[in-house]
Amino acid sequence: MSYLIALDQGTSSSRAIIFDREGRQLAKAQQEFRQIYPQPGWVEHDPQEIWSSQLATAREALRESGLRPEQIASVGITNQRETTVLWHRGTGAPLHHAIVWQDRRTEPLCAQLRERGLAPLIRERTGLVIDAYFSATKLRWLLDHIPGAREQAERGELAFGTVDSWLMWRLSGGRIHATDVSNASRTLLFNVHRNDWDDEILAALDIPRALLPQVHPSAYEFGTLDPQWLGAALPIGGVAGDQQAALFGQGCFKAGMAKNTYGTGCFTLMHLGEKFQTSANGLITTSAAQTSARPEFALEGSVFIGGAVVQWLRDGLHAFPSSGDVESLAASVPDAGGVMFVPAFTGLGAPYWQPDARGAIVGLSRGSTMAHIARAALESIAFQSAALLQAMSRDAVAAGSAPVSELRVDGGACVNNLLMQFQADLLGIPVVRPRVIETTALGAAYLAGLSAGLYSDLEALGQQWQAERIFHPTLPRERALERMADWEHAIRQTTAS
């Protein structure tokens, strides 16, 4: 029993990866599922498709590995965060499509909460800003718009959860209604200092506590799978939201260590240790994956549109048939030719927090080509991430710590060498790509392995991390600062009323 299976439920696909105890990948399966866009700015998923695709990939990975179910020591779950599911406890049936983290329908409600003066309370208790990104207003919308939902919720008949909770409910046959601290900290309802739901915020948002899951550390024996799913009653031993799982999988266990995940969005996290720190530079404070009941924190910045800008070029403009083609197209020109692409399709996240911003391509000339736009699109991922890292370093210095000195990277787009080199050039620090870039799934597996006793402690896990390539900055700092100034000018054009 020295193998671990990680269920990695993402925004556009469900994956399952089996690792050995050294963190080597044995088998992997992936399945995309539908993205549902009922109105502009609205994004939904079918919870049943999330469940069926995740189960199918778990079964496929297990078959591909050639392992018997009994050889799996534990199951780890990592998931797209903030996405909100509401289901009936009796039937297990969802009452509505899941409202995805990218969805902006609740911005009017967020504005009302800000007008009521709740922002300081919520920031102090949860570490977050009031934004449609987080789960609470999505849940409130469901309660307000589904006939009879609020009455059922108050009678204790309904269950709310982020995707991890939904999967555990289904995997356990309805025996587990739980989440971990990292996912709970993304709801806008969780007091990160006490590691418990906050009754004052629940009352302010009119959300019944009976809806909410139990909260545990990220490495914890949550319960067991129903044997019908994978052939054995396997323990669920690790759960973390995808970004905190990636921080864990990158071996960033100590204060000051930082990672950036290049996925549908981009998410930069810096570990703070046990010190809660409020950002003065547009970042949020969130719970890190925790191996005990003791709170640990991270500073985070979220880019809403990262790799999704490449998908838009592929599907919206038909610029190329496959996302993998973007690097060669972008590399066919020496630079972006003055073109700047701000992909604010769903507003701007940290450090700007401009919910009304919309995407813009500026600096076009008669000589601009699709190659220039493709290069500008790739560069936009690095520009947004650099703005986050600069804000993070300013916060670190203000707290008496050193600025970020190295960035560990993961996620699908980190294999793009052009993008990684440009990221290092903008930041002026080494960008380090690990040997295993599936760090989100690896983090979930490591958490499960800790609870199963496969690893003795965090130090043992940290020794398993290895770099595959280091990108050193080559651009003079003066030129890098000029490029960032160009980016900030493009941002101002995008958000100008």
Side-chain angles (χ1 to χ4, degrees):
M1 294 177 64
S2 58
Y3 299 95
L4 300 160
I5 183 167
L7 307 183
D8 183 356
Q9 205 300 299
T11 306
S12 56
S13 67
S14 296
R15 298 187 299 171
I17 303 178
I18 295 179
F19 296 97
D20 65 15
R21 67 180 301 157
E22 283 73 42
R24 292 186 293 254
Q25 179 178 309
L26 268 69
K28 173 182 174 180
Q30 182 167 348
Q31 188 176 119
E32 291 191 4
F33 56 89
R34 281 188 307 154
Q35 307 296 303
I36 303 166
Y37 306 105
Q39 296 182 29
W42 292 27
V43 190
E44 297 179 354
H45 291 156
D46 183 338
Q48 303 289 22
E49 289 182 19
I50 288 175
W51 159 241
S52 61
S53 62
Q54 189 64 80
L55 177 62
T57 60
R59 287 172 166 170
E60 184 182 342
L62 193 56
R63 280 196 305 271
E64 183 185 316
S65 72
L67 299 173
R68 301 186 311 278
E70 296 79 13
Q71 292 177 272
I72 303 295
S74 189
V75 177
I77 296 174
T78 184
N79 55 285
Q80 54 166 316
R81 304 171 304 169
E82 300 94 21
T83 294
T84 298
V85 188
L86 184 65
W87 67 93
H88 197 281
R89 290 182 184 273
T91 65
L95 274 72
H96 192 277
H97 283 155
I99 302 181
V100 179
W101 60 272
Q102 298 163 314
D103 189 285
R104 305 302 299 175
R105 76 185 67 183
T106 64
E107 174 52 33
L109 175 55
C110 291
Q112 293 175 20
L113 297 175
R114 289 189 287 265
E115 288 167 7
R116 286 169 54 189
L118 289 171
L121 170 72
I122 286 177
R123 185 71 182 270
E124 193 278 326
R125 302 275 180 88
T126 72
L128 308 179
V129 297
I130 297 176
D131 191 83
Y133 175 31
F134 304 110
S135 307
T137 58
K138 304 178 194 299
L139 175 56
R140 170 70 181 271
W141 189 93
L142 291 169
L143 294 175
D144 289 346
H145 287 80
I146 300 172
R150 179 167 294 282
E151 292 75 17
Q152 293 179 77
E154 289 169 351
R155 292 195 298 267
E157 297 171 3
L158 304 184
F160 151 75
T162 43
V163 169
D164 59 306
S165 298
W166 168 242
L167 290 178
M168 280 193 281
W169 177 275
R170 294 302 306 262
L171 287 166
S172 67
R175 295 190 307 275
I176 304 173
H177 185 211
T179 189
D180 88 300
V181 290
S182 69
N183 278 296
S185 74
R186 312 300 297 185
T187 61
L188 216 67
L189 302 171
F190 189 69
N191 188 314
V192 296
H193 306 279
R194 295 191 291 105
N195 274 352
D196 193 11
W197 302 113
D198 193 286
D199 288 318
E200 190 173 352
I201 297 175
L202 289 171
L205 272 72
D206 197 17
I207 291 176
R209 190 178 177 116
L211 282 168
L212 305 178
Q214 287 186 301
V215 185
H216 301 296
S218 309
Y220 183 82
E221 293 184 11
F222 289 83
T224 58
L225 274 66
D226 192 303
Q228 67 173 307
W229 303 128
L230 295 180
L234 302 176
I236 300 171
V239 176
D242 51 12
Q243 303 316 316
Q244 290 98 326
L247 188 72
F248 200 85
Q250 284 278 30
C252 296
F253 307 137
K254 298 178 182 177
M257 300 182 75
K259 71 89 195 175
N260 192 25
T261 297
Y262 298 81
T264 303
C266 290
F267 302 88
T268 307
L269 273 74
M270 180 178 73
H271 209 291
L272 294 174
E274 297 178 28
K275 179 183 178 183
F276 180 88
Q277 178 185 336
T278 299
S279 171
N281 294 282
L283 305 178
I284 57 177
T285 309
T286 196
S287 294
Q290 296 169 17
T291 58
S292 70
R294 187 178 65 252
E296 294 182 57
F297 305 103
L299 273 182
E300 176 175 334
S302 306
V303 170
F304 294 157
I305 301 295
V309 69
V310 177
Q311 295 173 331
W312 180 78
L313 287 177
R314 181 193 67 191
D315 302 335
L317 295 189
H318 305 291
F320 33 75
S322 169
S323 294
D325 298 329
V326 68
E327 184 171 9
S328 59
L329 180 60
S332 68
V333 290
D335 53 48
V339 177
M340 301 291 286
F341 192 157
V342 182
F345 301 148
T346 56
L348 286 169
Y352 307 104
W353 295 109
Q354 296 278 352
D356 298 327
R358 288 296 174 264
I361 303 175
V362 300
L364 292 169
S365 67
R366 184 65 182 83
S368 300
T369 68
M370 187 57 73
H372 294 104
I373 294 173
R375 185 154 188 139
L378 277 186
E379 290 183 350
S380 77
I381 301 172
F383 277 125
Q384 292 177 97
S385 298
L388 291 181
L389 259 294
Q390 289 176 353
M392 210 163 266
S393 287
R394 288 194 295 271
D395 281 328
V397 170
S401 304
V404 177
S405 60
E406 171 189 283
L407 180 65
R408 296 185 176 186
V409 297
D410 54 71
C414 85
V415 301
N416 189 308
N417 294 329
L418 187 152
L419 173 60
M420 293 299 98
Q421 184 59 55
F422 188 62
Q423 189 71 85
D425 287 343
L426 287 180
L427 291 171
I429 60 174
V431 167
V432 186
R433 186 167 62 202
R435 180 177 58 85
V436 179
I437 65 168
E438 298 283 7
T439 53
T440 302
L442 185 62
Y446 279 166
L447 287 164
L450 278 170
S451 70
L454 260 62
Y455 308 110
S456 57
D457 52 30
L458 294 181
E459 185 176 349
L461 277 180
Q463 291 172 354
Q464 294 199 167
W465 186 91
Q466 295 179 7
E468 179 263 327
R469 179 169 174 180
I470 301 176
F471 296 86
H472 294 282
T474 58
L475 195 67
R477 286 310 298 152
E478 298 80 12
R479 181 60 184 143
L481 294 173
E482 289 173 4
R483 294 304 316 273
M484 286 304 299
D486 292 340
W487 170 254
E488 295 298 337
H489 178 68
I491 288 285
R492 288 193 294 274
Q493 290 177 278
T494 305
T495 56
S497 56

